[in-house]
Amino acid sequence: MIQIYKNYEGHKELEELDHIELESWVMITDPTMEELMNISRDYKIDMDDLKAALDTEERSRLENEDDYTMILVNIPVVEEEEGKKWYETIPLGIFITNKIVFTVCLEQTNILKQFVDGLVSNFYTFMKTRFVYQILYNNAALFLYYLRVIDQRANQVEDLLHETYENKDLIQLYDLEKCLVYFTTALKSNEVVLEKLRKHIGLRHYEEDEELLEDVIIENKQAIEMCTIYRDILSGTMDAFASVISNNLNIAMKFLSVITIVLTVPTIVTSALGMNVAGIPFANNPYGFWIVVGISLLLTLIAGAIIAKNKHFK
């Protein structure tokens, strides 16, 4: 799907066009092969570069060609899977030609939707460099937002684990930790692109644009730090719960071992005195049964006392 937008100096309202004009923004979402071929042919953008923005495994990078500059960054998205929210990253390609900005992505993203809905101030399609930096700033801000959501979700799952240890809750913590790993990798990859943009001479920089780029770099660094902190906390939480569960299992096994040992004593006594051979003690005694029971209880109490004093069973 191809959508074309443009606004004019002095008019912030974004207009949707039915054809590509100079100083417009072309938003390409989950395009067909025919649409990509037309863009590649008409605006001399390499087909492999356009396809790279649709490859979920593609790394972030900055490339300067004769007719355009390509900026490829990873952006956060939320996927629904079996009723659960799953956070991952996908590439977003930004292609800057002489008079037009193209964005290519597999999915509709809130980063670009904010521009369409008029939620970004001082946004003009003809200010290409500022527009690109505004996209990158919104990307870093969205990472920060999702990181806070992940942290809140982790705290909720942790509260549930304090009440009961269920496998589904532990699996949720593991899934959240995996999301943070993806985020960390994407943010560090984006950081390399942002540092290259600071030194890139292919884009015209104005003073306000440079300040905006610095803000983008700061936001991205903050997202990296938050992601690292949350991942370390989550990893430590999972290790702590694993230790608690293992300790509870050891206590349960120790209790069962004590019960087994204590119950073995009367079993041995009654088995020995109940053998059907000549000369069994108390065989002719009318209180023989109770004597055997008493002996069994006495030896059981002695065994219990010995175990209770043994430090390995405390």
Side-chain angles (χ1 to χ4, degrees), residues 147 180 184 187-188 222-234:
L147 284 171
L180 291 176
T184 301
L187 286 166
K188 288 183 177 180
Q222 182 181 352
I224 292 175
E225 292 175 0
M226 285 180 61
C227 198
T228 302
I229 292 172
Y230 289 160
R231 190 179 64 176
D232 291 343
I233 292 175
L234 198 55

Side-chain angles (χ1 to χ4, degrees), residues 161-195:
L161 285 171
H162 281 298
E163 299 175 2
T164 177
Y165 302 108
E166 294 189 9
N167 290 338
K168 65 177 183 179
D169 294 328
L170 291 172
I171 291 174
Q172 283 192 61
L173 284 183
Y174 171 75
D175 289 340
L176 291 174
E177 185 179 21
K178 191 157 58 173
C179 293
L180 291 176
V181 172
Y182 291 148
F183 274 19
T184 301
T185 304
L187 286 166
K188 288 183 177 180
S189 182
N190 289 350
E191 184 181 29
V192 176
V193 173
L194 295 175
E195 292 296 336

Side-chain angles (χ1 to χ4, degrees), residues 62-284:
L62 170 67
E63 293 184 4
N64 191 31
E65 304 295 342
D66 294 335
D67 299 304
Y68 62 92
T69 297
M70 181 185 77
I71 302 173
L72 199 65
V73 293
N74 285 295
I75 64 173
V77 293
V78 182
E79 301 289 345
E80 291 283 345
E81 185 175 338
E82 296 180 356
K84 298 180 182 178
K85 287 186 177 180
W86 174 259
Y87 300 89
E88 57 183 19
T89 60
I90 60 174
L92 170 65
I94 306 172
F95 299 87
I96 309 166
T97 64
N98 186 30
K99 291 292 185 179
I100 303 172
V101 175
F102 296 85
T103 59
V104 184
C105 191
L106 272 173
E107 302 178 11
Q108 292 278 4
T109 170
N110 289 332
I111 296 171
L112 300 180
K113 190 174 183 298
Q114 291 181 19
F115 292 93
V116 177
D117 294 341
L119 301 177
V120 180
S121 60
N122 298 321
F123 159 56
Y124 297 98
T125 57
F126 59 87
M127 295 182 175
K128 301 190 300 298
T129 303
R130 181 184 297 179
F131 177 32
V132 170
Y133 292 166
Q134 286 173 326
I135 292 176
L136 297 176
Y137 185 88
N138 284 358
N139 184 37
L142 189 60
F143 266 112
L144 288 170
Y145 172 74
Y146 284 152
L147 284 171
R148 287 190 286 269
V149 173
I150 290 174
D151 183 54
Q152 291 174 0
R153 181 56 188 157
N155 290 334
Q156 292 173 358
V157 175
E158 185 178 347
D159 292 338
L160 291 175
L161 285 171
H162 281 298
E163 299 175 2
T164 177
Y165 302 108
E166 294 189 9
N167 290 338
K168 65 177 183 179
D169 294 328
L170 291 172
I171 291 174
Q172 283 192 61
L173 284 183
Y174 171 75
D175 289 340
L176 291 174
E177 185 179 21
K178 191 157 58 173
C179 293
L180 291 176
V181 172
Y182 291 148
F183 274 19
T184 301
T185 304
L187 286 166
K188 288 183 177 180
S189 182
N190 289 350
E191 184 181 29
V192 176
V193 173
L194 295 175
E195 292 296 336
K196 288 183 178 179
L197 275 175
R198 178 187 282 173
K199 306 173 183 177
H200 188 54
I201 60 175
L203 296 176
R204 293 182 62 183
H205 290 267
Y206 298 96
E207 184 176 351
E208 293 182 359
D209 298 337
E210 292 179 358
E211 292 177 358
L212 181 56
L213 179 58
E214 289 297 326
D215 291 339
V216 175
I217 294 174
I218 291 172
E219 288 289 305
N220 194 78
K221 288 183 180 296
Q222 182 181 352
I224 292 175
E225 292 175 0
M226 285 180 61
C227 198
T228 302
I229 292 172
Y230 289 160
R231 190 179 64 176
D232 291 343
I233 292 175
L234 198 55
S235 179
T237 301
M238 291 186 64
D239 291 342
F241 277 114
S243 299
V244 170
I245 292 172
S246 178
N247 185 58
N248 290 342
L249 178 61
N250 290 337
I251 293 174
M253 293 301 296
K254 186 185 299 184
F255 176 76
L256 293 175
S257 298
V258 170
I259 296 298
T260 302
I261 294 172
V262 171
L263 293 180
T264 300
V265 174
T267 302
I268 294 174
V269 173
T270 54
S271 297
L273 297 180
M275 297 174 65
N276 190 18
V277 295
I280 294 298
F282 319 118
N284 298 319

